[in-house]
Amino acid sequence: KKKKENDLLAVINEININNQYISGFEERKADSFETDRKIYSGIFSQHLRNLYKDLTEDKFTLNWNDVLYFHKRYAAEFYRMPADEALLKLPSVPSYQYQEYLIERKLLGKLNIQSFKVRFVCGFRFERNEYELFKIFQSDEHFIFDVEGRRMYLIDEELKDLDTSENESNQVSIISQLKRKNEELEETIEERKRKLPDDVESVLKDYLRNLESVDIMSKIFDVNEETNILRAMLNLNLNN
């Protein structure tokens, strides 16, 4: 009985630990990435606006860490891995150079028309490189920020072959597995309460067979009493 109680306690503890992990993950996901994604769009818009201003005034005042923080914080968990990096890393195009970064000339012109307002759509990850997809405000135009390549350029035809839905944490599948595991554990709790541990049941059955083989005439009362008790235990299977 003590062993059965310990087994049940272990199952309940596992369910509680899983629930704590699930709750912590869901709260962090809701409060963090979704909010920061919107803030990041505004920060990147201002960064582009300042970049254009610097180019026109022939100066360099930007700190790229102002926009690089986002992929460092979220890429490993949220950015999706595309099937083909070639869809994201496009050939060189005529570009302006700003410090170590290149921005496509045509892209900068389109950004200027829309006052540099952009929206972060989603991020992609391929091995050690990250790519961020942005949409230009009030248009159907999109562009890529190649983080490691330090380039920004328009993207068009390749979009149809890319999954551009909102990023989800790669831990979603883990959470689903934990929820299914908890359901299975909860279903076994009642069964564990009723069922004797296999090793205990085996010992009792062996002992019952031994008692039944004893010379009934020699110890009829004692043997019958023990036999009846064991049969009752096995039949009830510790229902109570």
Side-chain angles (χ1 to χ4, degrees), residues 183-223:
E183 291 173 359
E184 293 170 0
L185 290 172
E186 288 168 357
E187 288 175 0
T188 65
I189 286 179
E190 290 303 318
E191 182 181 352
R192 287 172 181 267
K193 287 179 180 178
R194 295 191 302 269
K195 193 176 187 309
L196 279 171
D198 292 340
D199 54 346
V200 174
E201 186 172 0
S202 176
V203 169
L204 290 176
K205 285 181 177 179
D206 288 342
Y207 188 37
L208 177 60
R209 282 194 293 270
N210 290 335
L211 286 174
E212 289 174 337
S213 66
V214 170
D215 184 357
I216 301 301
M217 298 304 294
S218 63
K219 287 181 65 179
I220 188 166
F221 177 76
D222 291 338
V223 171

Side-chain angles (χ1 to χ4, degrees), residues 25 28-30 32-34 37 70-71 73-81 120 122-125 165-172:
F25 164 78
R28 180 168 58 85
K29 176 176 180 289
S32 184
F33 182 75
E34 291 303 313
R37 183 173 66 86
F70 192 79
H71 89 273
R73 183 179 301 173
Y74 293 113
E77 181 179 343
F78 283 89
Y79 288 15
R80 68 174 53 91
M81 298 184 69
F120 174 77
C122 62
F124 300 91
R125 181 166 56 90
S165 59
E166 292 184 3
N167 291 121
E168 290 186 344
S169 171
N170 55 27
Q171 294 190 45
V172 168

